[in-house]
Amino acid sequence: MDLQLSNKLALVTGSTAGIGLAIASILSSQLCAAQTNAPADDFDAACARGLADLGREQYMAAASTFGQQFDAHPDAAVAFVLGWARRASGDVPGAIGAFRNAANLEPGKVPAHLALASTYKSLGQTALAVQALESGLRLLPGSPELQA
């Protein structure tokens, strides 16, 4: 196998399915641009470590990494991935807080509103799920995803 990576970014997670692969695939390009020679405390390198942890289904480690990065650099994309890491690790209240942060920091981020509603629904909190969708619709009235 000949892998050409010069002047390209790569994320290797080891995951072939599930939440780790989905999140790493979708967000790696927008969340971080890690380089192999980046210092360990560098934001991009930390994001890459967190995404790799998600891919390996090490959700608590990913939540810890993204939590530290969010505290240092509040960002909607980091909050969004933190929400999924927390939800996958069983920290549902923490996931709700992270998804709220993502929606507040970037109100036009439809996936944050959907993730918040989905998390409330998983808890049987239908009224709060509807409220999360309605909140998103007030900000994005033309969003077909939020109307479903």
Side-chain angles (χ1 to χ4, degrees), residues 51-137:
L51 287 171
D53 286 338
L54 279 175
R56 290 188 301 268
E57 298 180 6
Q58 295 176 353
Y59 302 124
M60 291 180 73
S64 175
T65 297
F66 285 114
Q68 291 170 7
Q69 293 310 304
F70 182 80
D71 290 344
H73 309 280
D75 176 84
V78 174
F80 182 71
V81 178
L82 173 60
W84 284 114
R86 286 181 172 166
R87 183 171 170 177
S89 73
D91 179 8
V92 178
I96 289 170
F99 291 139
R100 279 187 186 154
N101 284 335
N104 288 335
L105 287 167
E106 194 175 317
K109 186 177 267 312
V110 171
H113 298 284
L114 292 173
L116 183 57
S118 171
T119 303
Y120 279 132
K121 187 176 179 192
S122 75
L123 294 172
Q125 299 289 330
T126 306
L128 290 173
V130 169
Q131 186 179 35
L133 293 173
E134 289 173 346
S135 175
L137 275 171

Side-chain angles (χ1 to χ4, degrees), residues 21-46:
L21 178 63
I23 291 174
S25 298
I26 294 168
L27 296 176
S28 63
S29 64
Q30 28 177 313
L31 182 58
C32 60
Q35 299 174 6
T36 56
N37 60 352
D41 62 346
D42 181 75
F43 175 76
D44 291 340

